[in-house]
Amino acid sequence: MKRLFLTLCFFLSTTLSIAQSADDEVDRLLNEGAYFELERVYPSMKPRVKDERIRLLADGLLGTYFNRPEEAIVAFDKLLKQYPDSFNNSYRGTITLFRGINQLVAGLYADAADDVAGYLAELRERDDNEPLMYSLEFISNCGDALRDNPAPQ
């Protein structure tokens, strides 16, 4: 009985450390910008990533860098809506920028313009000098200029 208990404890601790290591490994690859390596290993690691924020960020960035804008938009939307207090303003600006870029690529011009303009309005209201302000304004202006055009086929 004692042997069974010890075996079970070992199995559980190994499982927990593997789950934690998946989070750590994906986080490391994201921080290093090793997107080709992440693209290669992520499908097998994704089910073991426990922190949904890491999983969504990986989904969003891989969707961005490997031309899967719809996947990226869904991931970035979830990040911004489900975890609004998990990020500082600069990080939130980066996620908003990436979502806007993907919306433009997907032909969702009005969404890109409106979503980014909404974030810019929040920044101006707080008198926040976001480092990405010009990039965000560019995305918003592009979306506005293309608003009434159909998405390319």
Side-chain angles (χ1 to χ4, degrees):
M1 186 68 167
K2 185 176 181 182
R3 178 180 264 178
L4 178 63
F5 178 72
L6 289 174
T7 304
L8 182 61
C9 287
F10 175 75
F11 175 74
L12 288 175
S13 67
T14 305
T15 303
L16 291 174
S17 69
I18 289 171
Q20 182 59 41
S21 67
D23 285 24
D24 292 343
E25 182 65 11
V26 170
D27 191 41
R28 181 186 67 77
L29 292 169
L30 287 170
N31 286 324
E32 290 177 0
Y35 298 112
F36 287 102
E37 176 67 11
L38 185 60
E39 176 75 359
R40 186 180 69 74
V41 300
Y42 186 61
S44 65
M45 295 179 82
K46 184 176 180 175
R48 297 190 325 257
V49 175
K50 299 299 179 199
D51 187 336
E52 187 178 28
R53 293 169 298 182
I54 293 173
R55 192 170 42 251
L56 289 171
L57 186 58
D59 288 341
L61 290 174
L62 289 173
T64 299
Y65 288 112
F66 292 97
N67 198 28
R68 298 188 297 261
E70 292 81 8
E71 175 183 313
I73 293 165
V74 168
F76 290 138
D77 275 343
K78 283 184 182 178
L79 264 175
L80 291 169
K81 290 176 182 163
Q82 293 178 3
Y83 302 100
D85 299 328
S86 295
F87 311 110
N88 63 30
N89 287 335
S90 180
Y91 198 70
R92 186 171 171 231
T94 302
I95 294 170
T96 302
L97 178 68
F98 276 118
R99 180 182 61 183
I101 290 168
N102 281 287
Q103 288 169 321
L104 289 178
V105 170
L108 303 172
Y109 308 126
D111 290 344
D114 296 342
D115 291 347
V116 174
Y119 179 66
L120 286 167
E122 288 178 35
L123 291 175
R124 289 186 184 103
E125 187 177 298
R126 289 192 311 258
D127 199 26
D128 192 339
N129 221 1
E130 163 72 50
L132 296 172
M133 186 76 82
Y134 295 112
S135 300
L136 290 163
E137 287 175 345
F138 177 77
I139 297 298
S140 181
N141 291 339
C142 285
D144 262 340
L146 296 169
R147 178 180 295 276
D148 296 324
N149 293 313
Q153 299 297 325

